[in-house]
Amino acid sequence: MTKEQQALLYLVRLGIGNNAESGFDFTGVDWRNLVDSSFAQGVPAIAVDGLQKLYESNLSLDLAIDRPEQGVLKYKWFGFVMSAEQDYRSYLSVLEKLTGFYKGQGMPMMLLKGYGLSLNYPVPAHRPVGDIDIYLWDKWAEADRMVEEILGIAVDDSHHHHSVFAYEGYSVENHYDFVNVHSHRSSISVEALFKKLAEDKGRAARHLLPNGTDLFLPSPDLNALFITRHCAAHFAAEKMNLRQLLDWALFVREHHQEVDWGQFWCEARKMGMEKFVLCVDAIAVEQLGFDPVIFHTPEEYGGFAVQNRALIDRVLEDILSPADFDAKGLSPVRYVWTRLRCWWHNRWKHKIVYSDSLLSTFFVQIRSHLMKPATIVGR
């Protein structure tokens, strides 16, 4: 781990309100590298929050980023925070309109990830916004027809487990499945579990948006499993970043008393991702200062951090310095070749994320891509 990566972890730790009693020596830190890393990890605003807390605790700090020659870099970094807050307000306004549209059609809407997870952050607007992921239970096909007929917006159904359309400048993913059931054999049972948990609307959280429109958020039990499975899938397929790790750890900090942890760990074992979850929990505790108690780790895993030190370090290193397999903009042949190289490179991750064998997954995913040919070349 580089000194810049250590510094970023320290600032993020401060930014989310966790104690960092030992302090950190920023002498020799390459601030341009640190700032670039904060963007790559999806936490630039969180890191700025940490820097602000550092200033508040020590007014006599002499940091290289405060020197005149670093002015452009610092203003770019701090300026992003203001831009992110504006983006968040814009995102929220569009979310209100979309929720109101579905409510007007008599369709309750559940919001996945995104805004719902931002509510667990000390400053919600400092979590980057992205797509709007929604779940409409058994009304998803009817909802897509409404979007096309009433709003006049084309809906793209070339993807697995969700359709996509552009709405007010944002990409909306209308999920008919929580996970891609065609990517792994085990995903079929995972999806059945998620749908079962989603059917209990009495446990789902009702959230009131600023304009008075209400929507559903996943229940704590559904969210706990969905967030970890989502992070694990990103990690195994390509990479995950600190923002995704924070989504999980901050959710747990806010809702751990509402989760059925017996069920969570039982299902995590069935899915084959318990080692991944344990590694992420260890990183959250060791590097970001979260209280280990909130993760409700079963006694049988009490020695995991000691016995699996190399694996935890490898997961952390992959988060902070992932291999580059960016295939965007490549020709179809080069795109497929790059994705195959990425898949082979990440086979060690597959072993701590899925219960499926690597060979089984290879053939299942070929079939998955043939079902939706556009996914073969990344569209």
Side-chain angles (χ1 to χ4, degrees):
M1 195 188 327
T2 67
K3 187 160 188 179
E4 288 73 27
Q5 290 169 341
Q6 292 174 332
L8 177 61
L9 288 169
Y10 179 77
L11 291 178
V12 169
R13 181 172 181 152
L14 291 177
I16 56 176
N18 286 342
N19 291 329
E21 297 174 357
S22 59
F24 188 84
D25 180 7
F26 285 88
T27 304
V29 166
D30 182 333
W31 282 91
R32 182 169 298 280
N33 188 307
L34 190 159
V35 172
D36 288 345
S37 183
S38 76
F39 279 93
Q41 292 296 325
V43 292
I46 307 292
V48 168
D49 290 338
L51 186 61
Q52 184 62 38
K53 290 190 176 182
L54 198 59
Y55 288 142
E56 292 169 359
S57 66
N58 187 353
L59 298 178
S60 62
L61 271 177
D62 179 23
L63 299 178
I65 196 169
D66 294 324
R67 294 169 191 164
E69 64 269 22
Q70 296 284 10
V72 173
L73 176 65
K74 185 174 180 179
Y75 288 131
K76 172 191 172 184
W77 199 21
F78 279 54
F80 172 82
V81 177
M82 298 175 65
S83 176
E85 291 170 351
Q86 178 58 44
D87 287 346
Y88 190 84
R89 289 190 289 271
S90 173
Y91 174 95
L92 186 52
S93 175
V94 171
L95 179 60
E96 289 173 336
K97 292 180 184 178
L98 183 66
T99 307
F101 168 75
Y102 286 122
K103 188 172 184 178
Q105 310 310 313
M107 296 178 182
M109 187 184 94
M110 178 183 284
L111 184 67
L112 309 177
K113 303 178 290 183
Y115 171 74
L117 294 180
S118 78
L119 300 174
N120 301 317
Y121 281 65
V123 182
H126 288 184
R127 181 195 185 273
V129 295
D131 298 340
I132 300 176
D133 294 84
I134 63 175
Y135 181 69
L136 299 164
W137 288 271
D138 59 349
K139 301 291 187 181
W140 64 271
E142 182 183 350
D144 279 349
R145 285 196 299 272
M146 296 280 189
V147 166
E148 292 191 321
E149 293 172 5
I150 298 176
L151 299 180
I153 297 174
V155 176
D156 175 8
D157 64 355
S158 64
H159 304 261
H160 283 298
H161 83 282
H162 61 72
S163 58
V164 182
F165 61 92
Y167 181 77
E168 300 275 341
Y170 290 89
S171 177
V172 179
E173 295 186 357
N174 178 14
H175 289 249
Y176 49 85
D177 286 334
F178 288 88
V179 298
N180 179 3
V181 298
H182 304 291
S183 64
H184 296 82
R185 287 179 178 171
S186 63
S187 293
I188 296 174
S189 60
V190 171
E191 180 61 29
L193 171 64
F194 287 174
K195 279 198 168 70
K196 180 181 177 182
L197 291 171
E199 282 306 314
D200 186 359
K201 290 190 179 74
R203 289 223 62 210
R206 297 293 290 267
H207 178 74
L208 202 64
L209 294 170
N211 72 343
T213 306
D214 65 332
L215 52 71
F216 285 100
L217 297 176
S219 69
D221 288 337
L222 173 56
N223 235 352
L225 288 165
F226 180 64
I227 295 168
T228 48
R229 177 72 175 196
H230 182 74
C231 285
H234 271 277
F235 177 74
E238 188 172 7
K239 59 187 176 183
M240 68 176 283
N241 59 24
L242 282 179
R243 195 269 301 158
Q244 290 169 312
L245 191 152
L246 284 178
D247 281 348
W248 166 241
L250 289 170
F251 161 78
V252 174
R253 188 168 76 178
E254 293 299 311
H255 298 283
H256 70 99
Q257 294 181 332
E258 306 161 56
V259 175
D260 181 342
W261 289 101
Q263 178 188 41
F264 173 83
W265 285 106
C266 177
E267 298 299 340
R269 280 190 286 268
K270 288 180 185 177
M271 293 181 200
M273 66 175 186
E274 74 274 20
K275 282 189 176 180
F276 168 78
V277 177
L278 289 163
C279 286
V280 168
D281 289 355
I283 293 167
V285 171
E286 296 168 3
Q287 304 296 335
L288 298 175
F290 284 89
D291 185 346
V293 173
I294 66 173
F295 296 103
H296 297 263
T297 308
E299 289 184 9
E300 64 193 275
Y301 299 125
F304 182 86
V306 174
Q307 299 163 6
N308 294 272
R309 183 77 267 153
L311 179 61
I312 294 169
D313 291 344
R314 189 177 189 186
V315 170
L316 175 60
E317 180 63 23
D318 193 87
I319 291 172
L320 296 177
S321 302
D324 184 9
F325 290 101
D326 185 10
K328 292 178 182 177
L330 298 180
S331 67
V333 172
R334 292 184 64 196
Y335 179 91
V336 172
W337 174 242
T338 301
R339 296 308 301 161
L340 282 171
R341 286 175 53 234
C342 179
W343 181 82
W344 182 249
H345 177 270
N346 288 339
R347 64 193 184 280
W348 69 274
K349 301 182 189 180
H350 187 280
K351 295 178 181 178
I352 63 170
V353 167
Y354 296 110
S355 59
D356 311 69
S357 72
L358 200 62
L359 185 61
S360 165
T361 299
F362 180 76
F363 289 109
V364 168
Q365 291 191 348
I366 287 179
R367 180 174 179 272
S368 172
H369 287 305
L370 292 175
M371 290 173 67
K372 298 283 186 178
T375 65
I376 296 174
V377 291
R379 294 200 300 269

